Every structure is written in C-alpha cells, then in structure tokens.
Amino acid sequence: MIDFHSHILPGMDDGSHSAEESADMLRELYRQGVDLVALTPHFYAYENSPHHFLARRGRAFARLAPVLGEDMPRIRLGAEVYYFRDISHMEGLESLCLEGSDVLLLEMPFNTWTEGEIREVEELCRSGRFTVMMAHIERYWKDQKRSVWRRLREAGAVFQCNASFFKPGLHQGRAIRMLRQGYVQIIGTDCHNMEGRRPNMDVAVAALQKRLGPREAEHFFRRAYDFWED
Ligand SMILES: [Fe+2]
C-alpha cells in the first residue's frame, strides 16, 4: 500500500518532533502494510518560497536519514501545498510535486470555495503540468455544492481522503459511498505523531475489507500505484 499524505519529517511542521518519533511512525506504517510513503510537510506560500521550503525540507531529511531502516516503507519527499490566489503562476510550483512525479497534493481553504478558486483549480488540473491530488476532501465535502465535485472530477482532479474517515461509526457509510462513486480514489493517513494523529492505515484497510470484500479492497489500494509511477 501507499500512503500519499504524512507529516513524518522531523521538525518541519506540526508533525513529528524528532527523528526517533519519525522512525516509530515509519515502522508502524510498515507494520500496517504500507510499503511506500510520501513525506508531505505543509507548504504555505506566505511563510516560505519554494526555494526556502526545499532547503528546510532537505535539512529535515538529513535528520531522518540516519534512522531509516529495512523495517520501514520506501519514502519520497513531497509537500502539502496550501492553496492561494494565483497559485498557478507561482514560480517553482513544480518543485513541490511529489519527487519524480507530477502529483501536486493540494490543501484547500476550509470554507465554501469561490467560483474563482474553483476555476483556478480546474485550470491547474487542465494545464497538463500537474496531477492535482486534493487533500482530505472529506473535510470540505459538506461546504461545496455537488456540482463542484463533478466539475473537479471532470477536470481530472484526484481525490484523497484520510484513513480516519473510515473509522467505524457515524461517517463510515458516507466514506464507502464516496469511494464507490469515485470521490475517494486515494487514502492517506495524514499522520502527524505517535499519539492523537498516529499512523492509521489499518483503520481504512479493516473498513474496506469488511465493506467491499478483500478482493475489491486489494484492487482499490493497488490502483494508487498508478499515481506513484514516474
Ligand atoms: Fe496534512
């Protein structure tokens, strides 16, 4: 399995605080069956230029590298890029894609998006420069009209949701419905630490195996590899 969304790099954002915690997170993901993981610290354009962000990310990776081991998934560096106006014109946006790919993990504002914002994301999708992967869409689902999701899907956006959405209880039925309708294509953990936001791919695996059956669940997770390829 692949985890496309995580905050494992030590000291980079509100995720892991130390190389040791990062190593524990990576071991736990591996134990849950994750063999590839994208390390996607937050990128905020009002805090960093891409150049500065990449330098910081390089330093965080240098802290992590000595503790990497065989009992961990393979990793690739990326970013969770927070949307801002005219994002498509920012120089160096490509450098924030998942390394070796054109996948841009995009975090949207937590409100009802304006027509201008929706159009800009559509343009990003249609530009041919990126595969736009929309981060944790379950957080935005209720605040947008259904037509917005249809438009973004037609434009080629890829929808990522967090594994916690599949927890048994209130939202699991909706999570499964969205997956069946194609509005959940990728599941990531968005893990931040080994406490409240720990690696939890096992939650999604259990839900999919139970609700879809082992074969369909396996097919679903296998499709994620298409987005990882160079
Ligand atoms: Fe995140």
Side-chain angles (χ1 to χ4, degrees):
M1 275 180 299
I2 302 179
D3 183 357
F4 268 98
H5 187 161
S6 74
H7 299 270
I8 291 175
L9 276 178
M12 185 72 192
D13 58 7
D14 57 343
S16 168
H17 288 97
S18 67
E20 291 69 32
E21 187 173 20
S22 304
D24 288 343
M25 293 165 80
L26 287 166
R27 268 188 223 102
E28 180 57 24
L29 280 173
Y30 193 67
R31 195 189 64 75
Q32 293 177 13
V34 172
D35 60 344
L36 298 169
V37 59
L39 309 187
T40 55
H42 290 287
F43 171 84
Y44 300 112
Y46 53 82
E47 284 182 352
N48 282 170
S49 66
H51 179 75
H52 185 223
F53 172 85
L54 294 177
R56 283 181 52 232
R57 194 182 69 180
R59 289 194 292 276
F61 179 69
R63 284 177 64 190
L64 178 66
V67 302
L68 293 176
E70 294 284 300
D71 54 350
M72 298 176 190
R74 279 167 43 214
I75 62 177
R76 254 195 217 174
L77 301 178
E80 178 180 9
V81 179
Y82 190 73
Y83 173 89
F84 57 95
R85 198 167 158 194
D86 290 334
I87 183 173
S88 54
H89 300 298
M90 184 178 73
E91 214 172 296
L93 185 59
E94 278 88 351
S95 67
L96 301 178
C97 288
L98 181 66
E99 278 182 319
S101 82
D102 65 355
V103 172
L104 183 74
L105 183 64
L106 183 67
E107 179 179 34
M108 292 298 289
F110 293 93
N111 50 29
T112 304
W113 306 330
T114 65
E115 180 58 25
E117 289 168 341
I118 297 161
R119 283 214 183 129
E120 189 163 22
V121 177
E122 284 179 312
E123 280 166 27
L124 267 184
C125 292
R126 293 207 159 101
S127 68
R129 295 158 61 202
F130 305 102
T131 298
V132 177
M133 187 177 286
M134 307 202 64
H136 39 57
I137 62 152
E138 72 279 12
R139 296 195 192 166
Y140 313 104
W141 190 253
K142 285 194 303 206
D143 292 329
Q144 323 303 327
K145 288 189 198 145
R146 285 303 292 269
S147 59
V148 171
W149 299 108
R150 278 198 297 273
R151 282 172 60 182
L152 293 175
R153 183 160 69 174
E154 279 166 24
V158 176
F159 302 116
Q160 180 260 314
C161 90
N162 286 357
S164 57
F165 193 34
F166 287 87
K167 265 195 296 206
L170 205 57
H171 302 300
Q172 196 190 62
R174 189 194 309 152
I176 295 289
R177 264 199 308 283
M178 282 169 62
L179 185 148
R180 287 201 165 117
Q181 293 166 357
Y183 288 112
V184 170
Q185 293 161 282
I186 297 288
I187 297 174
T189 64
D190 198 6
C191 58
H192 279 63
N193 50 50
M194 282 299 285
E195 286 148 20
R197 298 187 69 181
R198 52 187 287 121
N200 62 350
M201 195 61 102
D202 53 350
V203 168
V205 172
L208 266 63
Q209 286 186 343
K210 185 169 168 216
R211 303 288 296 264
L212 306 180
R215 261 188 67 180
E216 206 183 322
E218 197 193 324
H219 279 301
F220 174 85
F221 286 113
R222 204 182 296 148
R223 282 198 291 272
Y225 288 88
D226 296 344
F227 297 101
W228 184 271
E229 300 305 327
D230 293 345

